[in-house]
Amino acid sequence: MNENLKILVCPLDWGLGHATRMIPVIQQLLDQQIEVIIAADGEALDFLRNEFPNLKSILLPQYKVRYSCRNSQVISMIRVVPAMILSTIKEHLTLKKLVQQEHIDCVISDNRYGLWSKSAHSVFVTHQLRVKFPGYLKLLEPLFQIVVKSIIRHYDECWIPDLPGEINYSGELSHSLTLTNQVFIGPLSRFKATNQSGITKKKYDFAVILSGPEPQRSLLEQKIYNQLKIKNYKTAFVRGVQDKNTLKSTENTEVFERLDSKSLLQIIEASEFVICRSGYSSIMDMIRLRKTAVIIPTPGQTEQEYL
């Protein structure tokens, strides 16, 4: 690629997974002396600003999803559909202005459906070409797949962070449909390889790493914290958020807010087991690091339940 290119990287802010898997993409671009601008919202924007403090970053608002406290998310998700559609239209119009103002050559959108442009090469990153619906809503899956495919066709390329063929990580989510612009780019992980930190001695029995939409993130966090604190397990809690919570470090439990990738890698490698959500980015990280993990899907989130 031409080193004079200017590329806008835009991850979704539903948990940190979309932001974390953009780290190797951004680093690859920087290694090629390409100018990168980060455009995101919420925790994703804060996280990437911390990882790449020298890069220009732009607030690009998106709809703030909030899950129900119940195991089923069907009703809560149906209610927000109109607002999500409106938000997608708004972000598309905002991007149009950004491309002109910043002279953007390429836009890389991780699961933000409205961020394609006729004036810039547009890339859509997803492992979920097929969206699984719960219960009786499964009847709507074929219709939704038509909508998804029609949107992704607006992009010049669709990057799928997985392997082609029968041996893969995302299964039906990305291998049951075929798009003319899809490219399998292989798994994406922010971590280089196992034991990069040089730590061999295990300090913790468990590393608990949680992110994702509230209130389900906090509900799971509190449950695990309450169960582990009455045992003698050495535990590191990585909360993935900046707000101060009621979780307190104890003799056997260390509580961390948000950590950069290097610090998190040290904790993972110093732990016997990892407890985390079954988000796709977390799974790719655990595979890269060859870690034994307890993965817990967000209740009602069919993608994580399937993975």
Side-chain angles (χ1 to χ4, degrees), residues 161-228:
D162 198 357
L163 303 170
E166 294 182 4
I167 307 297
N168 59 74
Y169 302 140
S170 59
E172 294 178 0
L173 299 182
S174 62
H175 290 76
S176 59
L177 293 176
T178 301
L179 301 177
T180 56
N181 59 350
Q182 72 181 42
V183 180
F184 285 95
I185 63 172
L188 291 174
S189 174
R190 57 174 150 165
F191 301 119
K192 294 293 184 182
T194 186
N195 204 29
Q196 286 294 301
S197 63
I199 295 176
T200 55
K201 185 178 179 180
K202 293 295 183 282
K203 181 179 179 181
Y204 307 105
D205 295 302
F206 294 100
V208 183
I209 306 168
L210 297 176
S211 69
E214 296 289 1
Q216 288 294 338
R217 191 206 66 81
S218 294
L219 290 172
L220 179 61
E221 176 183 82
Q222 196 63 56
K223 285 182 180 180
I224 297 175
Y225 180 81
N226 290 340
Q227 290 178 14
L228 292 181

Coordinates of all heavy atoms in Angstrom, one line a residue, residues 161-228:
P161 N -12.3 -12.5 10.2 CA -11.2 -12.9 11.0 C -11.3 -14.4 11.4 O -11.5 -14.7 12.6 CB -11.2 -12.0 12.2 CG -12.7 -11.6 12.3 CD -13.2 -11.6 11.0
D162 N -11.1 -15.2 10.4 CA -11.2 -16.7 10.7 C -10.5 -17.4 9.6 O -10.0 -16.8 8.6 CB -12.7 -17.1 10.7 CG -12.9 -18.5 11.4 OD1 -11.9 -19.1 11.8 OD2 -14.0 -18.9 11.5
L163 N -10.4 -18.7 9.7 CA -9.8 -19.5 8.6 C -10.9 -20.0 7.7 O -12.0 -20.3 8.1 CB -9.1 -20.7 9.3 CG -8.0 -20.4 10.3 CD1 -7.6 -21.7 11.0 CD2 -6.9 -19.7 9.6
P164 N -10.6 -20.2 6.4 CA -11.6 -20.8 5.5 C -11.6 -22.3 5.6 O -10.7 -22.9 6.2 CB -11.0 -20.4 4.1 CG -9.5 -20.3 4.3 CD -9.4 -19.7 5.7
G165 N -12.6 -22.9 5.1 CA -12.7 -24.4 5.2 C -13.3 -24.9 6.4 O -13.9 -24.2 7.3
E166 N -13.3 -26.2 6.6 CA -14.0 -26.9 7.7 C -13.4 -26.7 9.1 O -14.1 -26.7 10.1 CB -14.1 -28.4 7.4 CG -14.9 -28.7 6.2 CD -15.1 -30.2 5.9 OE1 -14.5 -31.0 6.8 OE2 -15.7 -30.6 4.9
I167 N -12.1 -26.5 9.1 CA -11.4 -26.2 10.4 C -11.4 -24.7 10.6 O -10.7 -24.0 10.0 CB -9.9 -26.7 10.3 CG1 -9.9 -28.2 9.9 CG2 -9.3 -26.5 11.7 CD1 -10.6 -29.1 10.9
N168 N -12.3 -24.3 11.5 CA -12.4 -22.8 11.7 C -12.9 -22.6 13.1 O -13.2 -23.5 13.9 CB -13.3 -22.2 10.7 CG -14.7 -22.8 10.7 OD1 -15.5 -22.6 11.6 ND2 -15.0 -23.7 9.7
Y169 N -13.1 -21.3 13.5 CA -13.5 -20.9 14.9 C -14.9 -20.4 15.0 O -15.5 -20.5 16.0 CB -12.5 -19.9 15.4 CG -11.1 -20.3 15.4 CD1 -10.1 -19.4 15.1 CD2 -10.7 -21.6 15.8 CE1 -8.7 -19.8 15.1 CE2 -9.4 -22.0 15.8 CZ -8.4 -21.0 15.5 OH -7.1 -21.4 15.5
S170 N -15.4 -19.9 13.9 CA -16.7 -19.2 14.0 C -17.9 -20.1 13.4 O -19.1 -19.7 13.6 CB -16.7 -17.9 13.3 OG -16.4 -18.0 11.9
G171 N -17.6 -21.2 12.8 CA -18.6 -22.1 12.3 C -19.6 -21.5 11.4 O -19.3 -20.7 10.5
E172 N -20.9 -21.7 11.7 CA -22.0 -21.3 10.9 C -22.1 -19.7 10.8 O -22.7 -19.2 9.9 CB -23.3 -21.8 11.4 CG -23.5 -23.3 11.3 CD -24.8 -23.8 11.9 OE1 -25.6 -22.9 12.3 OE2 -25.0 -25.0 11.8
L173 N -21.5 -19.0 11.8 CA -21.7 -17.6 11.8 C -21.0 -16.9 10.6 O -21.5 -15.9 10.1 CB -21.0 -17.0 13.1 CG -21.6 -17.5 14.4 CD1 -20.9 -16.8 15.6 CD2 -23.1 -17.2 14.5
S174 N -20.0 -17.5 10.1 CA -19.3 -16.9 8.9 C -19.1 -17.9 7.7 O -18.6 -17.4 6.7 CB -18.0 -16.3 9.3 OG -17.1 -17.3 9.8
H175 N -19.4 -19.1 7.9 CA -19.2 -20.1 6.8 C -20.4 -20.6 6.2 O -20.3 -21.4 5.2 CB -18.4 -21.3 7.4 CG -17.0 -20.9 7.8 ND1 -16.6 -20.2 8.9 CD2 -15.8 -21.1 7.1 CE1 -15.3 -20.0 8.9 NE2 -14.8 -20.6 7.9
S176 N -21.6 -20.2 6.6 CA -22.8 -20.7 6.0 C -23.4 -19.8 4.9 O -24.3 -20.1 4.3 CB -23.9 -20.9 7.1 OG -24.2 -19.7 7.8
L177 N -22.7 -18.6 4.8 CA -23.1 -17.7 3.7 C -21.9 -17.3 2.9 O -20.7 -17.4 3.4 CB -23.7 -16.4 4.3 CG -25.1 -16.5 5.0 CD1 -25.5 -15.2 5.6 CD2 -26.1 -17.0 4.0
T178 N -22.1 -16.9 1.7 CA -20.9 -16.5 0.9 C -21.2 -15.2 0.2 O -22.3 -15.0 -0.3 CB -20.7 -17.5 -0.3 OG1 -20.4 -18.8 0.3 CG2 -19.5 -17.1 -1.1
L179 N -20.3 -14.2 0.3 CA -20.4 -12.9 -0.3 C -19.3 -12.8 -1.3 O -18.2 -13.3 -1.2 CB -20.3 -11.8 0.8 CG -21.3 -11.8 1.9 CD1 -21.0 -10.7 2.9 CD2 -22.7 -11.7 1.4
T180 N -19.6 -12.0 -2.4 CA -18.6 -11.8 -3.4 C -17.4 -11.0 -3.0 O -16.4 -11.1 -3.6 CB -19.3 -11.1 -4.6 OG1 -19.9 -9.9 -4.2 CG2 -20.4 -12.0 -5.2
N181 N -17.6 -10.2 -1.9 CA -16.5 -9.4 -1.5 C -15.8 -9.9 -0.2 O -15.0 -9.1 0.4 CB -17.0 -7.9 -1.3 CG -18.1 -7.8 -0.2 OD1 -18.6 -8.8 0.2 ND2 -18.4 -6.6 0.2
Q182 N -16.1 -11.1 0.2 CA -15.5 -11.6 1.5 C -14.1 -12.1 1.3 O -13.7 -12.7 0.3 CB -16.4 -12.7 2.0 CG -16.4 -14.0 1.3 CD -17.3 -15.0 1.9 OE1 -18.4 -14.7 2.3 NE2 -16.8 -16.3 2.0
V183 N -13.3 -11.9 2.3 CA -11.9 -12.4 2.4 C -11.7 -12.9 3.8 O -11.9 -12.2 4.8 CB -10.9 -11.2 2.1 CG1 -9.5 -11.8 2.1 CG2 -11.2 -10.6 0.7
F184 N -11.2 -14.2 3.9 CA -10.8 -14.7 5.2 C -9.4 -14.3 5.5 O -8.5 -14.6 4.7 CB -10.9 -16.2 5.2 CG -12.3 -16.8 5.2 CD1 -13.0 -17.1 4.1 CD2 -13.0 -16.9 6.4 CE1 -14.3 -17.6 4.1 CE2 -14.3 -17.4 6.5 CZ -15.0 -17.7 5.3
I185 N -9.2 -13.5 6.5 CA -7.9 -12.9 6.9 C -7.2 -13.6 8.0 O -6.1 -13.3 8.4 CB -8.0 -11.4 7.2 CG1 -8.9 -11.2 8.5 CG2 -8.6 -10.6 6.0 CD1 -8.9 -9.8 9.0
G186 N -7.8 -14.7 8.5 CA -7.2 -15.4 9.7 C -7.6 -14.8 11.0 O -8.1 -13.6 11.0
P187 N -7.4 -15.5 12.1 CA -7.8 -15.0 13.4 C -7.0 -13.7 13.8 O -5.9 -13.5 13.4 CB -7.4 -16.1 14.4 CG -7.3 -17.3 13.5 CD -6.9 -16.9 12.2
L188 N -7.6 -12.8 14.5 CA -7.0 -11.6 15.0 C -6.9 -11.6 16.5 O -7.9 -11.8 17.2 CB -7.9 -10.4 14.6 CG -7.9 -10.0 13.1 CD1 -8.9 -8.8 12.9 CD2 -6.6 -9.6 12.5
S189 N -5.7 -11.4 17.0 CA -5.5 -11.3 18.4 C -4.5 -10.2 18.7 O -3.5 -10.0 18.0 CB -5.0 -12.6 19.0 OG -4.7 -12.5 20.4
R190 N -4.7 -9.4 19.8 CA -3.8 -8.4 20.1 C -2.5 -8.9 20.7 O -1.5 -8.2 20.9 CB -4.4 -7.4 21.1 CG -5.0 -8.1 22.4 CD -5.5 -7.0 23.4 NE -6.5 -7.5 24.2 CZ -6.9 -6.9 25.3 NH1 -6.4 -5.8 25.7 NH2 -7.9 -7.4 26.0
F191 N -2.5 -10.2 21.1 CA -1.4 -10.8 21.7 C -0.5 -11.5 20.7 O -1.0 -12.2 19.8 CB -1.8 -11.8 22.8 CG -2.6 -11.2 23.9 CD1 -3.9 -11.7 24.1 CD2 -2.2 -10.2 24.7 CE1 -4.7 -11.1 25.1 CE2 -2.9 -9.6 25.6 CZ -4.2 -10.0 25.9
K192 N 0.8 -11.4 20.9 CA 1.8 -11.9 19.9 C 1.9 -13.4 20.0 O 1.7 -14.1 19.0 CB 3.1 -11.3 20.1 CG 3.2 -9.8 19.9 CD 3.0 -9.5 18.4 CE 3.2 -8.0 18.2 NZ 3.0 -7.6 16.8
A193 N 2.3 -13.9 21.1 CA 2.4 -15.4 21.3 C 2.5 -15.7 22.8 O 2.5 -14.8 23.6 CB 3.7 -15.8 20.6
T194 N 2.5 -16.9 23.1 CA 2.5 -17.3 24.5 C 3.8 -16.9 25.2 O 4.8 -17.0 24.6 CB 2.2 -18.8 24.7 OG1 2.0 -19.1 26.1 CG2 3.3 -19.6 24.1
N195 N 3.6 -16.5 26.5 CA 4.8 -16.2 27.4 C 5.7 -15.1 26.8 O 6.9 -15.1 27.0 CB 5.6 -17.5 27.6 CG 6.4 -17.4 28.9 OD1 6.0 -16.7 29.9 ND2 7.5 -18.0 29.0
Q196 N 5.1 -14.1 26.2 CA 5.8 -13.0 25.7 C 6.4 -12.1 26.9 O 7.3 -11.4 26.8 CB 5.0 -12.1 24.8 CG 4.7 -12.7 23.4 CD 6.0 -12.8 22.6 OE1 6.6 -11.7 22.4 NE2 6.4 -13.9 22.2
S197 N 5.7 -12.2 28.0 CA 6.1 -11.4 29.2 C 7.3 -11.9 29.9 O 7.9 -11.3 30.8 CB 4.9 -11.2 30.1 OG 4.6 -12.5 30.7
G198 N 7.6 -13.2 29.6 CA 8.7 -13.8 30.3 C 8.4 -14.4 31.6 O 9.2 -14.9 32.3
I199 N 7.1 -14.4 32.0 CA 6.6 -15.0 33.3 C 6.4 -16.5 33.1 O 5.6 -16.9 32.2 CB 5.4 -14.3 33.8 CG1 5.7 -12.8 34.1 CG2 4.8 -15.0 35.0 CD1 4.5 -12.0 34.5
T200 N 6.9 -17.3 34.0 CA 6.7 -18.7 33.9 C 6.0 -19.2 35.2 O 5.2 -20.1 35.2 CB 8.0 -19.5 33.7 OG1 8.9 -19.2 34.8 CG2 8.6 -19.2 32.4
K201 N 6.2 -18.6 36.3 CA 5.6 -19.0 37.6 C 4.2 -18.5 37.7 O 3.9 -17.3 37.4 CB 6.4 -18.4 38.8 CG 5.9 -18.9 40.1 CD 6.8 -18.3 41.2 CE 6.3 -18.7 42.6 NZ 7.1 -18.2 43.7
K202 N 3.3 -19.4 38.1 CA 1.9 -19.0 38.2 C 1.6 -18.3 39.5 O 1.9 -18.8 40.6 CB 1.0 -20.3 38.1 CG 1.0 -20.9 36.7 CD 0.5 -20.0 35.6 CE 0.4 -20.7 34.3 NZ 1.7 -20.7 33.6
K203 N 1.1 -17.1 39.4 CA 0.8 -16.3 40.5 C -0.7 -16.4 41.0 O -1.0 -16.3 42.1 CB 1.1 -14.8 40.2 CG 0.8 -13.8 41.4 CD 1.2 -12.4 41.0 CE 0.9 -11.4 42.1 NZ 1.2 -10.0 41.7
Y204 N -1.6 -16.7 40.0 CA -3.0 -16.7 40.2 C -3.6 -18.1 39.8 O -3.1 -18.7 38.9 CB -3.8 -15.7 39.4 CG -3.3 -14.3 39.7 CD1 -2.5 -13.6 38.7 CD2 -3.5 -13.6 40.8 CE1 -2.0 -12.3 38.9 CE2 -3.1 -12.3 41.0 CZ -2.3 -11.7 40.0 OH -1.9 -10.4 40.2
D205 N -4.6 -18.5 40.5 CA -5.4 -19.7 40.0 C -6.3 -19.3 38.9 O -6.4 -20.0 37.9 CB -6.2 -20.3 41.2 CG -5.3 -20.8 42.3 OD1 -4.5 -21.7 42.0 OD2 -5.5 -20.3 43.5
F206 N -6.9 -18.1 39.0 CA -7.9 -17.6 38.0 C -7.6 -16.2 37.6 O -7.3 -15.4 38.5 CB -9.3 -17.7 38.5 CG -9.8 -19.1 38.8 CD1 -9.9 -19.6 40.1 CD2 -10.3 -19.9 37.7 CE1 -10.3 -20.9 40.3 CE2 -10.8 -21.2 38.0 CZ -10.8 -21.7 39.2
A207 N -7.7 -15.9 36.4 CA -7.8 -14.5 35.9 C -9.2 -14.3 35.4 O -9.6 -15.0 34.4 CB -6.8 -14.2 34.8
V208 N -10.0 -13.4 36.0 CA -11.4 -13.2 35.6 C -11.4 -11.9 34.7 O -11.0 -10.8 35.2 CB -12.3 -13.0 36.8 CG1 -13.7 -12.8 36.3 CG2 -12.2 -14.2 37.7
I209 N -11.7 -12.0 33.4 CA -11.6 -10.9 32.5 C -13.0 -10.7 31.9 O -13.5 -11.5 31.2 CB -10.6 -11.2 31.4 CG1 -9.3 -11.6 32.0 CG2 -10.5 -10.0 30.4 CD1 -8.3 -12.1 31.0
L210 N -13.6 -9.6 32.2 CA -15.0 -9.3 31.9 C -15.2 -8.0 31.2 O -14.7 -7.0 31.6 CB -16.0 -9.4 33.1 CG -16.0 -10.7 33.8 CD1 -16.9 -10.6 35.1 CD2 -16.5 -11.8 32.9
S211 N -16.0 -8.0 30.1 CA -16.4 -6.8 29.4 C -17.8 -7.1 28.8 O -18.3 -8.2 29.0 CB -15.4 -6.3 28.4 OG -15.4 -7.2 27.3
G212 N -18.3 -6.1 28.1 CA -19.6 -6.3 27.4 C -20.7 -5.4 28.0 O -20.4 -4.7 28.9
P213 N -21.8 -5.5 27.3 CA -22.9 -4.5 27.7 C -23.4 -4.8 29.2 O -23.4 -5.9 29.7 CB -24.1 -4.9 26.7 CG -23.4 -5.5 25.6 CD -22.2 -6.3 26.2
E214 N -23.8 -3.7 29.8 CA -24.4 -3.7 31.1 C -25.9 -4.0 31.0 O -26.4 -3.7 29.9 CB -24.1 -2.4 31.9 CG -22.6 -2.1 32.1 CD -22.0 -3.0 33.2 OE1 -22.8 -3.9 33.7 OE2 -20.9 -2.8 33.5
P215 N -26.5 -4.5 32.1 CA -26.0 -4.8 33.4 C -25.4 -6.2 33.5 O -24.9 -6.6 34.6 CB -27.2 -4.6 34.3 CG -28.3 -5.1 33.4 CD -28.0 -4.6 32.0
Q216 N -25.4 -6.9 32.4 CA -25.0 -8.3 32.4 C -23.5 -8.5 32.8 O -23.1 -9.4 33.5 CB -25.2 -9.0 31.1 CG -26.7 -9.3 30.8 CD -27.3 -10.3 31.8 OE1 -26.6 -11.1 32.4 NE2 -28.6 -10.3 31.9
R217 N -22.7 -7.5 32.4 CA -21.2 -7.6 32.8 C -21.1 -7.6 34.3 O -20.4 -8.4 34.9 CB -20.5 -6.5 32.2 CG -18.9 -6.6 32.3 CD -18.2 -5.3 32.3 NE -18.6 -4.5 33.5 CZ -18.0 -4.7 34.7 NH1 -17.1 -5.6 34.8 NH2 -18.4 -4.0 35.7
S218 N -21.8 -6.6 34.9 CA -21.6 -6.4 36.4 C -22.3 -7.5 37.2 O -21.8 -7.9 38.2 CB -22.3 -5.0 36.8 OG -21.5 -4.0 36.3
L219 N -23.4 -8.1 36.6 CA -24.1 -9.2 37.3 C -23.2 -10.4 37.4 O -23.1 -11.0 38.4 CB -25.4 -9.5 36.6 CG -26.6 -8.5 36.7 CD1 -27.7 -8.9 35.7 CD2 -27.1 -8.3 38.1
L220 N -22.6 -10.7 36.3 CA -21.7 -11.9 36.3 C -20.5 -11.6 37.2 O -20.0 -12.5 37.9 CB -21.2 -12.2 34.9 CG -20.3 -13.4 34.8 CD1 -20.9 -14.7 35.3 CD2 -19.8 -13.6 33.3
E221 N -19.9 -10.4 37.1 CA -18.8 -10.1 37.9 C -19.0 -10.3 39.4 O -18.2 -10.8 40.1 CB -18.4 -8.6 37.6 CG -17.3 -8.0 38.5 CD -17.1 -6.5 38.2 OE1 -17.8 -5.7 38.8 OE2 -16.2 -6.2 37.4
Q222 N -20.2 -9.8 39.9 CA -20.5 -9.9 41.3 C -20.7 -11.4 41.7 O -20.3 -11.8 42.8 CB -21.8 -9.1 41.6 CG -22.0 -8.9 43.1 CD -20.9 -8.0 43.7 OE1 -20.7 -6.9 43.2 NE2 -20.3 -8.5 44.7
K223 N -21.3 -12.2 40.8 CA -21.5 -13.6 41.1 C -20.2 -14.3 41.3 O -20.0 -15.1 42.2 CB -22.4 -14.2 40.0 CG -23.8 -13.9 40.0 CD -24.6 -14.7 38.9 CE -26.1 -14.4 38.9 NZ -26.8 -15.1 37.9
I224 N -19.3 -14.1 40.3 CA -18.0 -14.8 40.4 C -17.2 -14.3 41.6 O -16.6 -15.1 42.3 CB -17.2 -14.6 39.1 CG1 -18.0 -15.2 37.9 CG2 -15.8 -15.2 39.2 CD1 -17.3 -14.9 36.5
Y225 N -17.2 -13.0 41.8 CA -16.5 -12.4 42.9 C -16.9 -13.0 44.3 O -16.1 -13.4 45.1 CB -16.7 -10.9 42.9 CG -15.9 -10.2 44.1 CD1 -14.6 -9.9 44.0 CD2 -16.6 -9.8 45.2 CE1 -13.9 -9.2 45.0 CE2 -16.0 -9.1 46.2 CZ -14.6 -8.8 46.1 OH -14.0 -8.1 47.1
N226 N -18.3 -13.1 44.4 CA -18.8 -13.6 45.7 C -18.4 -15.1 45.9 O -18.2 -15.5 47.0 CB -20.3 -13.5 45.7 CG -20.8 -12.0 45.8 OD1 -20.0 -11.2 46.3 ND2 -22.0 -11.7 45.4
Q227 N -18.4 -15.9 44.8 CA -18.1 -17.3 44.9 C -16.6 -17.5 45.2 O -16.2 -18.4 46.0 CB -18.5 -18.0 43.6 CG -20.0 -18.1 43.4 CD -20.4 -18.8 42.1 OE1 -19.6 -19.4 41.5 NE2 -21.6 -18.7 41.7
L228 N -15.7 -16.7 44.5 CA -14.3 -17.0 44.7 C -13.7 -16.4 46.0 O -12.7 -16.9 46.5 CB -13.6 -16.4 43.5 CG -13.8 -17.1 42.1 CD1 -13.0 -16.5 41.0 CD2 -13.5 -18.6 42.2

